[in-house]
Amino acid sequence: ILCISDNRQKVRAKTHINAHEKWVLPGVIDSHVHSLSYKGEGFANSTRSACSGGVTTIIDMPVDAPSGIATPEALERKIEVVRAESYVDVALLGSVKNSTLGHIKGLKEGGVCGFKLSLFDTDPDRFPRVDDANLLKAFTLIADTGLTAGLHAENDEIIKGLIEESIKDGRTYPRAHCETRPEVSETESVLKGLEIARGTGVRLHLYHISCARSLDLAKLYREESCPVTVETCPHYLVFSEDEMDRLGAKLRINPPMRKNGEADRLWRKLKMGEIDYVASDHAPWPLEQKDRSSIFENSCGAPGVETLLPVLYSEGVEKGKVSMADLSRALMENP
């Protein structure tokens, strides 16, 4: 922005745009994008989609195939890829594994803007579960860097046990994805993350929160001066588990869609300021990785960076659930 003025003669510009009766917004910051979880995506595709959706900055997740961004060397290689391919500004996170706590300081020095850890074993090398002892150590080390510890909060033991039972019983239909990841598998992990963050003093960020109970827990800790921020995603605002029957594996995302009515509670929380911002969790896959008969054999994730702003506007502002000021805070100012 060169200047804000009511005198257009003050502004020296090559082009003037008449934006009468139009909204003029800052570029969107999508703070949850997976450009390299699927190798065929890449920054050229993810950031081109970002441009199309009015997103001018992304924060890319560090859970890249095949082994994540857990060392300074891996970070350096990723930075070179970003410089070669990206159409928009990109910030990068570092990942943390049980065996890589010693690299936290080096990743900070290498330029990461924060860290991401998981309580669910998504992949044993790319994005493994961090056990409780190492979670305490990692949060302490990250607190020393002054950066934020972001958490994928799902209980590994609850979910893995329920999936095993579901497959054994032949329940592999689409809605089984939701049945095997109940709300308590999120809220229990959220509570663990909050309590360990409170004990270490680290700034905590809770990724892709899908239910209002998790937000109530975060609010409680914020009131106790625990520095915690929370995001949700458009799919939790516009879908419920009822859509699993229609969309199947296209809607297989972690955490899953929740019961009918939960989206309305999230919209209210967003308007009340109890959700700090909305991010896409962009993680696209080819259709052939979304068409297998057993829901559990399909890849998890969906595209979203291009549709983040249009969906929040059409489903939120146009339907009176949030204001344009709410949208601006959730997509630009807060992230």
Side-chain angles (χ1 to χ4, degrees):
I1 297 173
L2 177 68
C3 161
I4 298 176
S5 173
D6 57 6
N7 180 358
R8 96 181 245 171
Q9 301 305 318
K10 280 186 176 182
V11 183
R12 299 183 62 184
K14 293 179 181 177
T15 304
H16 284 89
I17 299 170
N18 184 349
H20 180 61
E21 295 188 343
K22 303 284 194 299
W23 290 104
V24 180
L25 298 170
V28 173
I29 300 171
D30 188 345
S31 52
H32 194 153
V33 174
H34 294 266
S35 298
L36 298 175
S37 290
Y38 166 58
K39 289 184 179 180
E41 172 72 344
F43 283 98
N45 288 316
S46 68
T47 59
R48 186 168 51 198
S49 295
C51 287
S52 297
V55 175
T56 54
T57 301
I58 66 169
I59 301 179
D60 201 69
M61 296 298 105
V63 295
D64 310 356
S67 57
I69 306 301
T71 67
E73 293 75 23
L75 175 63
E76 289 173 10
R77 290 192 294 270
K78 186 168 184 176
I79 289 171
E80 291 305 310
V81 174
V82 170
R83 286 174 173 160
E85 295 185 5
S86 181
Y87 291 93
V88 303
D89 291 336
V90 178
L92 299 176
L93 295 171
S95 56
V96 179
K97 308 179 190 181
N98 293 303
S99 60
T100 65
L101 273 62
H103 291 301
I104 288 173
K105 182 179 178 182
L107 285 165
K108 190 268 175 84
E109 293 170 350
V112 300
C113 67
F115 295 89
K116 189 174 187 183
L117 308 88
S118 182
L119 298 181
F120 181 78
D121 194 34
T122 301
D123 182 277
D125 194 29
R126 182 169 63 86
F127 198 36
R129 172 194 179 190
V130 177
D131 63 46
D132 291 356
N134 282 315
L135 189 68
L136 180 65
K137 293 176 185 176
F139 276 15
T140 301
L141 291 168
I142 294 169
D144 289 341
T145 70
L147 299 180
T148 299
L151 195 63
H152 178 124
E154 287 190 293
N155 183 294
D156 186 84
E157 293 182 17
I158 291 174
I159 293 169
K160 294 289 179 64
L162 289 174
I163 289 176
E164 184 178 345
E165 290 176 11
S166 190
I167 293 173
K168 183 178 178 181
D169 294 341
R171 292 181 285 109
T172 59
Y173 45 78
R175 202 180 288 235
H177 178 61
C178 304
E179 295 169 355
T180 54
R181 296 177 115 94
E183 280 193 13
V184 70
S185 65
E186 176 179 296
T187 57
E188 185 277 339
S189 290
V190 163
L191 188 56
K192 177 187 289 186
L194 287 165
E195 192 64 13
I196 295 180
R198 182 177 181 272
T200 59
V202 76
R203 289 205 324 240
L204 179 67
H205 179 66
L206 296 170
Y207 285 104
H208 47 50
I209 291 302
S210 67
C211 55
R213 173 64 178 165
S214 294
L215 300 170
D216 292 338
L217 293 170
K219 181 183 178 183
L220 175 65
Y221 277 75
R222 267 200 284 243
E223 290 170 350
E224 296 179 352
S225 300
C226 181
V228 55
T229 52
V230 184
E231 76 179 43
T232 194
C233 305
H235 35 274
Y236 303 123
L237 293 166
V238 300
F239 291 119
S240 74
E241 66 177 41
D242 294 346
E243 275 80 35
M244 292 298 296
D245 297 331
R246 176 172 61 90
L247 295 173
K250 291 179 182 177
L251 211 54
R252 190 184 186 214
I253 303 171
N254 300 332
M257 306 308 109
R258 299 301 180 189
K259 294 188 182 301
N260 196 29
E262 195 65 25
D264 290 333
R265 285 186 277 274
L266 293 180
W267 279 115
R268 289 195 292 271
K269 296 282 191 182
L270 180 61
K271 186 168 186 62
M272 292 165 60
E274 293 181 33
I275 297 173
D276 294 285
Y277 56 79
V278 182
S280 70
D281 196 4
H282 175 86
W285 298 95
L287 288 177
E288 57 265 26
Q289 290 183 242
K290 287 287 193 177
D291 64 359
R292 294 158 191 174
S293 57
S294 169
I295 189 65
F296 302 113
E297 294 177 3
N298 293 278
S299 297
C300 294
V305 66
E306 185 172 343
T307 53
L308 174 62
L309 173 59
V311 168
L312 261 288
Y313 181 79
S314 66
E315 300 305 303
V317 177
E318 282 293 304
K319 293 184 177 180
K321 296 175 181 176
V322 292
S323 68
M324 280 298 291
D326 297 326
L327 180 145
S328 180
R329 281 192 294 270
L331 295 183
M332 299 112 180
E333 182 180 356
N334 285 352

